[in-house]
Amino acid sequence: MSASWAVDLRGRWEVLSDDIDQTRPEPELRLDEPDPLEVERIAGLLQKMPAVISAGSHGHRSEAATEAFPAPGGDGDWLHHRLLRQALARAQQAIQQDAAAAYRAVEDTLDETAARLLEKHILDDAHDAPARRIVTTDFLTELTSVHRPKPRTVTLLLSRPAVKDFLTAQKAAAKQQTQTVLPL
């Protein structure tokens, strides 16, 4: 059981905290925070920039963003730096979602993509596995507008029946050519 003075004190505290909550003003845009609308606008522009999309590391993306949107107050403008950092984080998230959607579409149509790979004769001069993976990665990057594929997608594409048949025929032709040149 509680003492009567503790129950009275708790009641007074609840009344006082309700009064404080009702008189508290709505949060305003702080002057030390970037404008959210400007962050969204710049993020949308960064999301479409090929230099940002194809950048391999955060440092390269940050450099591309800084070149595209230089600070109006000079390099010491920390508010602009913060704005760019927030916009770049949002743009990177959107880029990752775009890449995931693009490669879901590629994986949904692997047989058609494999046919295109063979029609363009991409694998003709690639005679070993690392070379095939490199040229296939380049093909998929070009196909999806600068989004680099995950290794899983490359493996799935190279394991399609049409590609496997082509590679088997390519190996047989190379073996036959070697035998005619160097009889054993």
Side-chain angles (χ1 to χ4, degrees), residues 152-164:
R152 171 185 184 271
T153 306
V154 175
T155 302
L156 288 172
L157 184 59
L158 290 174
S159 65
R160 299 313 301 164
V163 175
K164 286 206 168 268

Side-chain angles (χ1 to χ4, degrees), residues 15 17 20 22 33 43-44 46 51 65 68 71 73 77 80 88 107 118 120 128 139 142 146 163 167:
V15 168
S17 64
I20 290 172
Q22 290 175 358
E33 287 293 320
L46 289 173
D77 189 351
H80 182 74
L88 193 57
E107 289 181 9
L118 295 173
K120 291 189 174 194
D128 61 351
F139 168 75
E142 182 183 317
V146 304
V163 175
L167 295 177

